[in-house]
Amino acid sequence: WSLLPVLDESKLQQVDNLYKEFETPEKANKIVKLKHFEKFQDTTEALAAATALVEGKIGKSLKKVLKKVVAKEAHEQLAISDAKLGGVIKDKLDVSCVHSPAVAELMRCIRSQMESLITGLPPREISAMSLGLAHSLSRYKLKFSPDKVDTMIVQAISLLDDLDKELNNYIMRCREWYGWHFPELGKVITDNLAYCKSVRKIGDRTNVAGSDLSDILPEEIEAEVKLAAEISMGTEVSEQDIGNIRHLCDQVIEITDYRTQLYDYLKNRMMAIAPNLTVLVGELVGARLISHAGSLLNLAKHPASTVQILGAEKALFRALKTRKDTPKYGLIYHASLVGQTTAKNKGKISRMLAAKAALAIRYDALGEDTNAEMGAENRAKLEARLRQLEEKGIRRISGTGKAMAKTDKYQHKSEVRIYDPSGDSTIPSTSKKRKFEEVEDDEAADETATPAVKSKKPKKEPKTEEEEEEAVTAEAEETPKKKKKKKKDKKAEAEAEEPREEEEEQVAAVEVKHEFENDPD
């Protein structure tokens, strides 16, 4: 610890030109002068003092120096590079502290001339001390930084995904390899772990009859396996092949056990670091969100709209490029709340879940509490909203939002239908030609039967003398036209009557001939 009183405070007012006063050791000694210096015993003590300063606390050694030296000159102000530390010193030691841009510039200038201001320290020793302390302080920050606690979650979920891929490859290889020898076993045993345990215990299929699989398989499946082994169509393999297959089964069983252990570890870490997020979306989805963002703090900086489509960046940019619809969900699609909804409501639930998840992430990353009450409350709200959507809005909230909306009284409106007897007609159907002739005859009869209704003439109003003269002239012009029309009508009637008379004469002649043939006497 070093204490340097300022000799000329007027120089501090010129902040921009203060560095010129520390260009040489002689100029620096005119501004500040060393009053007290105290060494640290070792690097551990120096690290403890440095970490206390970083956290804004007063270490033991600093407290002794302040009581010994500064308390004697309590009327003077103490220049502090950290405002938080100045507040703590003022509360505990009742020493007035000052923090300003001028003080920060003064600290920088003092560090530049540290070797000349503090005597008795060789340059090599100062450089070794600063380098060792910087490394120790960096390791301390990395070890206890709250931002880096979630690195274990990022690595664990990445390893879990890798294990799932490798397990899938190993199990498929085992089924295909042993399937050459005993192909019927793969159809009988569907569970992968049980299949590998059975293969490891059976070995050659001829040993199935004498092996006991009751601790692995149920009785019914065990009986099917023994029956299938008797009529198997597989090829014969050597003992060396069976040994390699058994070794592969051992690897699958060991990796499966390790995956179970890793999942339990991940579940415990997620409940300790992000309990509210875990309650909302689950351990795996929450861990994948943290891993995709890089850290819990980075994820907390994302808005809810980004959390919703996190993991679907490729589809998002493709949709923006082609001007299509953007994706509705990313990694959050695998959450249980989204999975149990219908396809129509998945977009709505994912949007609401992302909004609540964004709040839960910020609460976990920046809050001081470690309980999961907030996540449980939000999950209950989302489940209630989900039920409301699934019921298609049967419960309607009124305008006030407090009372239920009043529904109208139900009235059953029944439709009365009268029997139509026209469909029961038993008249035999006639030919189309006959029907067409009947329709024409009916239409002709209707036209002749409808009497002409005389329309009532409106009463004539008395005409003036000028109107009567115009009417007389109009009638005089129309009379020759009417006479011509009457003459033409009479000619047409005369021509029409002549063929009718000829037809009547022919009909009369036919009737006479008919009577003559029937009665020659």
Side-chain angles (χ1 to χ4, degrees):
W1 298 106
S2 59
L3 191 64
L4 300 165
V6 179
L7 301 178
D8 190 359
E9 294 184 5
S10 62
K11 300 289 186 181
L12 297 179
Q13 304 300 327
Q14 303 174 357
V15 180
D16 296 336
N17 299 324
L18 187 60
Y19 71 95
K20 296 180 180 179
E21 303 296 331
F22 285 84
E23 289 179 349
T24 60
E26 291 79 11
K27 289 183 177 181
N29 285 317
K30 293 178 182 180
I31 303 297
V32 292
K33 187 178 181 181
L34 182 64
K35 185 173 184 179
H36 181 77
F37 178 75
E38 188 172 341
K39 277 187 175 185
F40 294 112
Q41 298 296 327
D42 52 6
T43 309
T44 306
E45 187 180 352
L47 178 62
T51 52
L53 287 176
V54 170
E55 295 173 0
K57 299 178 182 178
I58 303 176
K60 292 182 180 180
S61 58
L62 179 60
K63 198 171 185 180
K64 288 180 182 179
V65 171
L66 291 176
K67 283 184 178 180
K68 186 187 296 184
V69 180
V70 180
K72 296 178 183 179
E73 300 177 1
H75 61 280
E76 296 288 343
Q77 285 185 334
L78 183 64
I80 299 295
S81 60
D82 189 4
K84 187 177 180 181
L85 180 62
V88 175
I89 293 174
K90 187 175 182 180
D91 293 339
K92 292 188 176 182
L93 301 176
D94 196 15
V95 176
S96 61
C97 301
V98 60
H99 175 72
S100 63
V103 173
E105 181 67 17
L106 179 63
M107 294 288 183
R108 190 186 68 81
C109 294
I110 289 173
R111 288 193 186 95
S112 65
Q113 295 291 340
M114 183 70 73
E115 297 177 3
S116 60
L117 292 174
I118 300 176
T119 58
L121 288 177
R124 179 182 292 181
E125 192 173 337
I126 290 178
S127 62
M129 178 271 300
S130 60
L131 185 62
L133 185 59
H135 286 174
S136 301
L137 189 61
S138 299
R139 282 194 293 269
Y140 173 81
K141 284 185 176 180
L142 185 64
K143 184 177 181 181
F144 294 101
S145 174
D147 302 338
K148 298 297 179 181
V149 176
D150 48 17
T151 53
M152 303 302 165
I153 290 177
V154 175
Q155 298 298 328
I157 190 64
S158 300
L159 179 59
L160 196 69
D161 292 338
D162 293 341
L163 285 179
D164 288 336
K165 292 179 183 178
E166 293 300 324
L167 265 177
N168 189 35
N169 292 333
Y170 277 27
I171 289 167
M172 294 305 295
R173 179 63 58 198
C174 181
R175 282 179 175 272
E176 187 176 353
W177 198 351
Y178 194 71
W180 288 101
H181 178 61
F182 191 2
E184 293 81 8
L185 185 65
K187 297 179 181 179
V188 176
I189 304 175
T190 56
D191 184 62
N192 293 325
L193 185 60
Y195 181 86
C196 292
K197 288 182 178 179
S198 301
V199 170
R200 186 180 63 174
K201 194 167 187 178
I202 292 172
D204 198 309
R205 70 168 183 266
T206 56
N207 302 328
V208 172
S211 59
D212 184 16
L213 303 175
S214 59
D215 56 339
I216 303 172
L217 305 174
E219 294 181 0
E220 299 83 4
I221 298 179
E222 184 181 2
E224 291 182 15
V225 170
K226 291 183 177 180
L227 181 62
E230 296 177 358
I231 56 173
S232 177
M233 298 291 292
T235 60
E236 298 294 333
V237 293
S238 63
E239 288 293 331
Q240 188 176 4
D241 297 330
I242 295 294
N244 286 322
I245 295 172
R246 279 180 169 172
H247 185 64
L248 180 59
C249 293
D250 291 336
Q251 295 293 322
V252 171
I253 295 169
E254 289 178 7
I255 295 175
T256 305
D257 294 339
Y258 176 60
R259 187 200 178 280
T260 305
Q261 179 186 351
L262 185 65
Y263 178 71
D264 294 336
Y265 163 76
L266 181 63
K267 188 188 300 183
N268 295 332
R269 295 294 295 176
M270 281 296 295
M271 284 303 296
I273 293 171
N276 294 285
L277 179 63
T278 304
V279 170
L280 272 176
V281 300
E283 298 88 6
L284 294 178
V285 178
R288 287 193 175 96
L289 287 173
I290 294 173
S291 175
H292 199 82
S295 67
L296 183 63
L297 194 61
N298 289 344
L299 185 62
K301 295 176 183 177
H302 290 322
S305 57
T306 305
V307 174
Q308 181 181 353
I309 59 170
L310 205 65
E313 289 84 2
K314 190 175 181 180
L316 174 65
F317 292 124
R318 184 173 63 246
L320 292 176
K321 187 177 180 181
T322 57
R323 296 183 180 180
K324 298 293 181 60
D325 294 335
T326 54
K328 295 180 180 179
Y329 25 68
L331 291 169
I332 208 169
Y333 178 81
H334 300 286
S336 59
L337 280 172
V338 181
Q340 66 190 14
T341 60
T342 57
K344 182 177 66 175
N345 297 324
K346 282 187 187 295
K348 293 181 180 179
I349 289 297
S350 63
R351 183 178 67 250
M352 292 185 285
L353 180 60
K356 298 298 183 184
L359 295 177
I361 292 162
R362 292 163 192 167
Y363 189 82
D364 291 332
L366 307 173
E368 297 179 356
D369 298 335
T370 57
N371 52 15
E373 294 178 359
M374 177 189 175
E377 291 176 2
N378 289 333
R379 187 178 179 88
K381 291 179 183 178
L382 289 172
E383 289 175 350
R385 176 63 176 154
L386 174 60
R387 286 195 298 271
Q388 186 180 6
L389 288 174
E390 294 294 335
E391 291 171 2
K392 297 181 181 178
I394 292 176
R395 297 179 178 178
R396 293 183 299 170
I397 301 175
S398 65
T400 59
K402 296 179 181 178
M404 298 297 291
K406 293 182 180 180
T407 56
D408 298 333
K409 185 177 179 181
Y410 176 75
Q411 294 180 353
H412 181 68
K413 297 179 182 179
S414 61
E415 183 181 357
V416 180
R417 295 184 179 181
I418 301 173
Y419 179 71
D420 186 11
S422 63
D424 296 341
S425 177
T426 57
I427 298 174
S429 61
T430 57
S431 63
K432 292 183 180 180
K433 186 175 181 181
R434 177 64 179 168
K435 285 183 181 179
F436 183 75
E437 292 175 355
E438 288 178 357
V439 169
E440 287 183 345
D441 295 338
D442 292 339
E443 290 178 356
D446 292 338
E447 290 176 359
T448 56
T450 53
V453 179
K454 294 182 179 179
S455 61
K456 293 182 180 180
K457 296 181 180 179
K459 293 181 180 180
K460 295 182 180 179
E461 295 180 358
K463 299 180 180 178
T464 60
E465 294 178 357
E466 296 177 357
E467 292 176 352
E468 289 177 356
E469 292 176 0
E470 292 175 359
V472 169
T473 56
E475 289 176 358
E477 292 175 359
E478 290 176 0
T479 48
K481 294 180 180 179
K482 289 182 179 179
K483 289 179 180 179
K484 291 180 179 179
K485 288 183 179 179
K486 287 180 180 179
K487 290 180 180 180
K488 290 180 180 180
D489 295 338
K490 288 180 180 180
K491 289 182 179 180
E493 289 176 0
E495 290 174 359
E497 286 177 355
E498 289 177 1
R500 287 180 184 175
E501 291 176 357
E502 293 176 359
E503 290 177 1
E504 289 177 356
E505 291 176 357
Q506 291 177 0
V507 170
V510 171
E511 289 178 354
V512 170
K513 185 179 180 181
H514 182 67
E515 290 178 357
F516 179 80
E517 289 176 355
N518 291 336
D519 191 6
D521 296 333

